[in-house]
Amino acid sequence: MKRRVSTILIILTTFALILFPANDIKAAERVFPAKDDLVIVIDPGHGGNDTGTQGGRIQERFMNLLTAGALSSRLLMYDNVTVYMTRYDNDTSMSLTDRAKFAESVNADFVISVHYNACESHDRFGIETYTSRIPPYNAYGYQLGNLLNKKYEEKYGIFPRGVKTRKGLKTDGDYYTIISANIYREIPAIIIEHCYADGNIDKIHTENDDLFTSYGITDADAIAEFFGLSSAKLGIDNSGFNENLVSADVTSFNMQTYEDRTAPDSVKLTLSSADYTNNSIEVTVDAFENDGMMMYYEYSLDGGWTWSDPIVWPGADTFKNSYDSSFTMKFKFDEGDRPSIVFKGFNRYDGFTRSNTITFMEKFDSSKMPLYRDVLSYTYPEI
């Protein structure tokens, strides 16, 4: 029996948050210890009465199994690896703790939990992976998750939302049981949320079953790169240095995985130019996020009654934790329009800050300049 892992208290001080690094990602050595014979457990999330999200084309339990089955079959083509799955059909119900117990019973070296995402607003997008908060498992998941996210961005154009952690509700350990129950047994585990199955933006990435199978193959090849697995059958040799692997610290918490549950510090909107003969304007958006990065934004032209679909924040790079602090955007209106423009800026954990509102007091008329005001300051700027 493996010894019990004590919960490690991770202290994220205010000073550390202020210095939260915009990491310049560089290739690095593999952080997971080399093994001659590797045992991987693939966990298709949900199953049985637990359907997972039902917001997509098909229930999540079906999506997960399609991807996990392809992942398992592909990974078995690599040398010196044994692969198990926690379920092989869609009617099997299994608790999260029992999945970890199964992984322990087969002496698993790593657990990969396969999922698809959803949200209440049905307007999110992108792939994200979750890793443990506990070193060295945090580093294992951080390095593998970044590799997976990079593959999906390059191959499918799916936006990489980053490698994340989530703190337990009552402890400083992990929130997700499939991670915490395995870490308790000293088994590294990650969750792959491949994309959002319930929204319009990622809809093209879940429109047929062949895509789910393709994702499983991509997962397997990325996992093989992470572990340095080679395949005589496939003619693939991953034994050497891999330039796609990012640097990760096995001795401490990797701040790139920090759970930022606060909203961005500021989002400010300025009317920077206007051409009233053509009823067009240009606004400048300035933002600051001390704890991390801006990831996407939405805008409204009617004061916040309706909003655009989310748009990737200019310069947003979850691998480097960087973003453009300022960008401009042009709008053109019809005669008679009286817009009220406001933005919402979101960070990696979907926390958002709403900007000031630029409200035009008169309808657009190409013969004259309409008055407008900044709703926060109640002044009437001039352009």
Side-chain angles (χ1 to χ4, degrees), residues 199-213:
N200 291 329
I201 298 175
D202 277 351
K203 185 177 181 180
I204 60 171
H205 302 304
T206 61
E207 60 186 6
N208 60 67
D209 291 355
D210 290 342
L211 284 169
F212 301 133
T213 300

Side-chain angles (χ1 to χ4, degrees), residues 227-246:
F227 288 111
L229 299 176
S230 297
S231 171
K233 182 179 295 185
L234 298 172
I236 296 175
D237 183 2
N238 289 317
S239 60
F241 181 79
N242 190 312
E243 63 181 9
N244 293 320
L245 295 176
V246 303

Side-chain angles (χ1 to χ4, degrees), residues 131-149:
T131 184
S132 173
R133 304 179 77 240
I134 310 301
Y137 311 107
N138 174 261
Y140 301 157
Y142 173 59
Q143 192 174 72
L144 174 54
N146 269 289
L147 182 58
L148 283 160
N149 289 357

Side-chain angles (χ1 to χ4, degrees), residues 141-308:
Y142 173 59
Q143 192 174 72
L144 174 54
N146 269 289
L147 182 58
L148 283 160
N149 289 357
K150 185 175 183 179
K151 296 289 185 185
Y152 275 79
E153 181 183 37
E154 292 176 348
K155 188 171 182 178
Y156 304 105
I158 298 177
F159 181 77
R161 293 172 60 90
V163 183
K164 303 180 178 182
T165 56
R166 188 173 178 187
K167 179 180 171 294
L169 297 177
K170 297 181 179 180
T171 73
D172 286 301
D174 294 301
Y175 172 84
Y176 293 109
T177 303
I178 193 63
I179 292 178
S180 63
N182 277 293
I183 299 304
Y184 176 84
R185 294 165 174 80
E186 296 188 332
I187 305 171
I190 66 166
I191 299 171
I192 310 173
E193 297 280 3
H194 288 83
C195 64
Y196 278 80
D198 66 330
N200 291 329
I201 298 175
D202 277 351
K203 185 177 181 180
I204 60 171
H205 302 304
T206 61
E207 60 186 6
N208 60 67
D209 291 355
D210 290 342
L211 284 169
F212 301 133
T213 300
S214 176
Y215 299 153
I217 294 171
T218 299
D219 289 345
D221 289 342
I223 291 166
E225 285 189 39
F226 170 72
F227 288 111
L229 299 176
S230 297
S231 171
K233 182 179 295 185
L234 298 172
I236 296 175
D237 183 2
N238 289 317
S239 60
F241 181 79
N242 190 312
E243 63 181 9
N244 293 320
L245 295 176
V246 303
S247 177
D249 184 0
V250 297
T251 64
S252 62
F253 180 82
N254 287 267
M255 285 298 294
Q256 291 282 47
T257 67
Y258 165 68
E259 179 185 13
D260 178 13
R261 288 295 175 183
T262 61
D265 295 270
S266 66
V267 178
K268 182 181 179 181
L269 191 61
T270 305
L271 184 60
S272 51
S273 67
D275 179 358
Y276 294 107
T277 60
N278 292 314
N279 292 336
S280 64
I281 66 169
E282 182 177 85
V283 297
T284 299
V285 183
D286 295 283
F288 179 65
E289 170 59 301
N290 183 62
D291 294 340
M293 62 171 288
M294 304 299 296
M295 197 169 72
Y296 60 98
Y297 68 91
E298 299 173 0
Y299 66 86
S300 172
L301 301 180
D302 55 14
W305 288 99
T306 61
W307 294 90
S308 68

